[in-house]
Amino acid sequence: MDMLLAENSPIRQQLLEQKLAQFKDPNLANVLSAFIRSSVDLYPCANEDYAQLGNSRLGGLPDLPVGMDYPVTLVGREEMLDGYVESFGHTREFINEHWREDWQDDWETDEAHLWDWDEAAQAFRVPMQFIAQINCSELKALQSYLPREGRLLFFLERWRFSEMLRGHVYYVAEDQQLNSGKAIAEPKFDDAICANYEYEAAYQLQGIASIKMIATDMINSDNPHLFTLAKARLQALPEPQQAMLLEALAVVDDELVPEWQDQLKGYELIQLNEHGFIPGQILTQSQWANTEWQSSNLQALLVPEQPLPYYNGIASINGHGDSGYKAPELHAAAELGGNAEDYLVLLKAVYSEHSMQLNFIIHRDDLALGKFDRIYCIYDN
């Protein structure tokens, strides 16, 4: 039994049935059920005040276990020079001629750059970006594939403008003593190369059980692991009917009833999240009246004194990605080895006001063993 699928989750049966009922052809519904994930959506429920240790959190600073230093990337001088070449459009010849003559002494002592120099490693200690911490025990009733207790800390190694990303996930056991993030000195970022604007604000997170269906146009030969899975669900049907249903996947969105969140733009979803509105909760008249809505469309959709319909959280666990019409698991397999179908999106988080989505990908076997040292990171695009 695949614990990652919604069809194997008792608490998601109603959500799954509602979704599958939208498809006129039961065979098509059966195919798509293979791609509907048993997910958890995460919503900001309050601004983080660091009063509680180890709670689920997005942005700000993590509660690190006692004895663990804030994670850094060691970046040598030559790599740092390459970063400046890339960031400011200078040629390497220009940097070599002018930077070494006039800027090197200033740069290594200038407080604007801030990074600590590690004499032993002969490298700068560049802090990673903290993305989120997930309290697994808070979410154990909502899923069966994460550790039953402890915390997962998500960091992003991104010290230059390059889109080459490295993700890091650390598991912190339940019995490890924690130091509050409030006690951590603010990491020193160089605004010119890698500012931390995206996650300066910190939110406490609340999870709800959800389902995530893949964009059906992803199920094609560009993603052979998905295409093979779809064909496996059709094996009992005659060949002509199989071919017809596979062709229908490309246009299946046309028969779906528009869902509430599909009527919203990315920045509207972010506004709902940042106001702490959570699906299922009653939107009070006071909340509706006292919120400065940026969008007349959003204001028109909201109904005071009624439960808020489902919409995507600011982060989610075990969802789907779309990285240039290819599943991010396909990129992860190419980088880390193995088969794309053996990977999953451990965490997806909104990365900026432009609604970029950042995916942390892990191998299923590593997750089952509680090993988090092989992580692949990629944006949706």
Side-chain angles (χ1 to χ4, degrees):
M1 179 181 291
D2 190 339
M3 296 185 298
L4 302 174
L5 290 181
E7 64 185 17
N8 297 320
S9 169
I11 65 174
R12 290 173 175 80
Q13 284 305 303
Q14 184 177 0
L15 294 174
L16 182 64
E17 289 169 5
Q18 290 171 348
K19 173 63 71 176
L20 294 180
Q22 296 186 42
F23 301 102
K24 300 170 186 175
D25 188 326
N27 291 315
L28 187 58
N30 180 54
V31 171
L32 291 172
S33 65
F35 302 95
I36 299 180
R37 297 288 183 185
S38 174
S39 303
V40 177
D41 270 81
L42 299 164
Y43 299 86
C45 57
N47 292 329
E48 184 58 82
D49 59 8
Y50 298 95
Q52 181 183 355
L53 280 174
N55 58 302
S56 294
R57 177 183 306 159
L58 183 77
L61 292 166
D63 298 330
L64 296 177
V66 172
M68 178 179 175
D69 294 328
Y70 191 95
V72 299
T73 304
L74 293 176
V75 183
R77 284 192 177 94
E78 295 303 312
E79 290 179 281
M80 193 66 74
L81 280 174
D82 288 339
Y84 271 77
V85 169
E86 176 188 328
S87 301
F88 297 114
H90 296 313
T91 64
R92 188 60 188 264
E93 290 74 19
F94 178 90
I95 292 289
N96 286 339
E97 178 181 353
H98 294 86
W99 183 85
R100 293 186 186 282
E101 289 180 2
D102 303 321
W103 303 343
Q104 183 165 355
D105 290 341
D106 290 341
W107 184 35
E108 294 184 4
T109 58
D110 186 354
E111 289 187 0
H113 295 98
L114 299 174
W115 293 325
D116 295 325
W117 174 254
D118 189 316
E119 190 64 32
Q122 286 293 293
F124 293 98
R125 296 171 57 84
V126 181
M128 295 184 194
Q129 290 181 306
F130 170 65
I131 306 299
Q133 69 182 29
I134 302 301
N135 186 313
C136 296
S137 61
E138 291 177 352
L139 304 181
K140 66 181 179 181
L142 305 179
Q143 47 69 42
S144 54
Y145 42 81
L146 293 182
R148 299 292 83 195
E149 59 182 18
R151 282 106 183 153
L152 295 174
L153 306 180
F154 294 82
F155 291 87
L156 185 65
E157 181 181 331
R158 180 175 179 258
W159 54 269
R160 54 195 285 185
F161 289 146
S162 171
E163 294 307 302
M164 180 181 67
L165 306 173
R166 293 188 182 93
H168 297 265
V169 179
Y170 300 93
Y171 176 71
V172 180
E174 186 72 24
D175 59 358
Q176 287 187 262
Q177 185 179 353
L178 302 177
N179 285 323
S180 171
K182 192 174 183 180
I184 297 175
E186 192 73 30
K188 301 173 182 178
F189 288 96
D190 184 333
D191 288 353
I193 302 295
C194 180
N196 197 35
Y197 302 130
E198 290 89 352
Y199 288 107
E200 284 183 324
Y203 302 102
Q204 298 173 19
L205 294 176
Q206 177 178 327
I208 68 168
S210 61
I211 62 174
K212 289 283 190 290
M213 190 179 83
I214 196 168
T216 55
D217 59 5
M218 295 278 288
I219 306 172
N220 57 49
S221 56
D222 288 335
N223 294 291
H225 64 299
L226 303 178
F227 198 62
T228 299
L229 180 57
K231 290 175 69 175
R233 287 274 173 135
L234 294 170
Q235 283 182 347
L237 300 177
E239 285 285 346
Q241 192 174 358
Q242 290 186 35
M244 183 176 63
L245 285 171
L246 289 172
E247 288 181 10
L249 287 172
V251 293
V252 74
D253 284 348
D254 295 343
E255 68 176 77
L256 287 175
V257 177
E259 296 180 348
W260 195 74
Q261 74 268 23
D262 295 334
Q263 302 174 57
L264 302 174
K265 296 181 173 63
Y267 73 90
E268 294 170 331
L269 288 169
I270 292 174
Q271 185 183 19
L272 284 168
N273 274 279
E274 291 182 345
H275 278 84
F277 297 144
I278 297 174
Q281 291 185 348
I282 300 295
L283 177 68
T284 67
Q285 184 70 44
S286 175
Q287 287 174 320
W288 188 86
N290 294 325
T291 300
E292 294 183 4
W293 300 109
Q294 301 170 357
S295 161
S296 57
N297 172 53
L298 183 55
Q299 188 173 1
L301 286 169
L302 295 169
V303 181
E305 306 305 330
Q306 294 295 319
L308 284 164
Y310 170 78
Y311 61 92
N312 293 331
I314 202 166
S316 64
I317 295 165
N318 187 33
H320 290 285
D322 181 355
S323 301
Y325 300 104
K326 288 191 176 182
E329 306 95 89
L330 201 64
H331 295 276
E335 179 73 18
L336 300 179
N339 302 312
E341 58 266 30
D342 296 328
Y343 288 86
L344 66 112
V345 181
L346 179 62
L347 180 75
K348 178 191 286 286
V350 172
Y351 188 70
S352 73
E353 62 182 10
H354 304 296
S355 303
M356 293 178 69
Q357 301 278 321
L358 178 65
N359 298 282
F360 286 79
I361 314 296
I362 191 171
H363 196 281
R364 290 181 181 219
D365 290 347
D366 289 341
L367 178 59
L369 294 171
K371 295 173 57 180
F372 298 94
D373 56 347
R374 288 200 314 151
I375 297 293
Y376 182 77
C377 245
I378 190 169
Y379 291 126
D380 278 358
N381 57 29

